[in-house]
Amino acid sequence: QADPSSEAKSSPEQEEEERAWGKMSWQAYVDDHLLCEIDGQNLTAAAIVGHDGSVWAQSPTFPQYKPEEIAAIMKDFDEPGTLAPTGLFLGGTKYMVIQGEPGAVIRGKKGTGGITVKKTTLALIIGIYDEPMTPGQCNMVVERLGDYLLEQGF
């Protein structure tokens, strides 16, 4: 017969595994839901970032960004229109801000590609694309995951 008191305590290994699993599952959202193929196309880079700018998960190709770039994006969600005059910067790349959904989705364009940022309760879902992927395909991938995470309380 197992000692019931031993079940309550988790070993350091189990705790470490749970922490790793937590990280891994966010990575799976990036790998399986953001970098998935849509009509034969894929995002060039994607990430899930906390409102404070901390990386939850990202693709290897996601640009190294500055905390102030995320802060500026967050400000535009709070005060829609603040990014339009300056453009949206991520990893030093400037995107022209195009029609989004105030407080919910920011979209940017640069040359043949662009960016979609969807705000959820706790995170920003960011997708970056280039031709032949279309802005609509990028929006669909990013916003679909964002809506799902919103429903899950994230």
Side-chain angles (χ1 to χ4, degrees):
Q1 172 139 10
D3 174 10
S5 67
S6 68
E7 288 175 34
K9 293 191 203 79
S10 64
S11 69
E13 289 80 15
Q14 280 173 310
E15 284 173 21
E16 186 58 47
E17 197 175 303
E18 281 165 24
R19 271 200 299 277
W21 173 247
K23 261 197 165 45
M24 197 170 90
S25 53
W26 287 116
Q27 191 60 49
Y29 281 118
V30 169
D31 297 343
D32 304 339
H33 297 274
L34 291 175
L35 298 177
C36 63
E37 202 173 277
I38 177 169
D39 303 329
Q41 306 305 327
N42 299 80
L43 292 172
T44 54
I48 301 173
V49 176
H51 288 181
D52 61 356
S54 59
V55 175
W56 291 14
Q58 63 183 3
S59 67
T61 52
F62 198 76
Q64 180 72 48
Y65 58 84
K66 299 183 180 80
E68 54 268 31
E69 292 173 329
I70 300 299
I73 291 169
M74 285 301 297
K75 183 172 188 216
D76 192 84
F77 280 121
D78 294 334
E79 304 167 37
T82 55
L83 279 180
T86 59
L88 182 163
F89 285 86
L90 192 75
T93 300
K94 180 181 180 178
Y95 297 89
M96 185 178 78
V97 177
I98 56 175
Q99 183 64 47
E101 294 165 33
V105 182
I106 298 170
R107 300 186 183 107
K109 187 107 182 81
K110 179 182 173 55
T112 57
I115 188 168
T116 300
V117 184
K118 167 85 177 178
K119 182 180 182 230
T120 69
T121 311
L122 302 173
L124 299 174
I125 316 302
I126 305 172
I128 298 172
Y129 71 95
D130 206 347
E131 279 186 340
M133 190 180 221
T134 66
Q137 290 168 331
C138 177
N139 294 340
M140 188 195 258
V141 170
V142 171
E143 293 174 41
R144 189 170 55 193
L145 179 60
D147 289 338
Y148 170 76
L149 291 176
L150 275 168
E151 285 165 21
Q152 302 303 309
F154 292 105

